[in-house]
Amino acid sequence: DFSGDSDYMVMFGPDICGGTTRKTHVIFNYEGENLEIKEEIKAENDRHRHLYTLIMKEDGDFDVKIDGKSVQSGSLQEHWDFLPPATILDPDVSKPDDWVEEKRIPDPND
């Protein structure tokens, strides 16, 4: 099944459809979800053949090259949403009105 909803381990290469879609896909499957790179990488848009290269490094960095020229590089963690944010702030959570900021307060029963 090669539909857009198919699971991929890695999907990489140009997507040139009609006159509107011209981008380079870099998609990794992580825990059953297809995760696309956050930034769009334009595909070459002429009639010549082009060599698309994806380099994955052991230190977690990557490099996307078109015709040997680097067009996007960096760390996997920064350019894909593999992990949820470290903290999720809830705007509905706040301290009660009688909250005391002091580190120590006297115990009225002591």
Side-chain angles (χ1 to χ4, degrees):
D1 179 17
F2 291 106
S3 70
D5 297 327
S6 300
D7 287 340
Y8 302 97
M9 294 314 293
V10 176
M11 185 175 102
F12 172 71
D15 182 2
I16 302 171
C17 295
T20 58
T21 302
R22 294 193 180 285
K23 68 182 200 173
T24 303
H25 284 292
V26 187
I27 301 174
F28 295 106
N29 183 286
Y30 181 71
E31 295 184 350
E33 185 177 348
N34 294 333
L35 302 177
E36 192 162 4
I37 192 168
K38 294 177 186 177
E39 304 83 9
E40 184 171 310
I41 302 171
K42 296 285 185 193
E44 290 298 317
N45 122 11
D46 55 32
R47 294 185 176 266
H48 299 287
R49 294 181 185 173
H50 298 280
L51 176 63
Y52 290 78
T53 307
L54 172 61
I55 300 170
M56 306 294 302
K57 301 177 184 174
E58 289 182 19
D59 63 359
D61 286 350
F62 74 98
D63 193 4
V64 174
K65 295 182 177 190
I66 301 176
D67 297 329
K69 179 183 174 190
S70 180
V71 294
Q72 182 71 267
S73 63
S75 78
L76 294 171
Q77 193 169 7
E78 291 175 10
H79 293 271
W80 282 267
D81 291 325
F82 288 113
L83 303 175
T87 58
I88 300 172
L89 301 177
D90 185 347
D92 297 328
V93 173
S94 62
K95 296 177 183 176
D97 293 334
D98 61 348
W99 187 268
V100 177
E101 290 289 342
E102 298 174 23
K103 289 183 180 181
R104 293 178 179 251
I105 57 174
D107 184 352
N109 299 325
D110 201 14

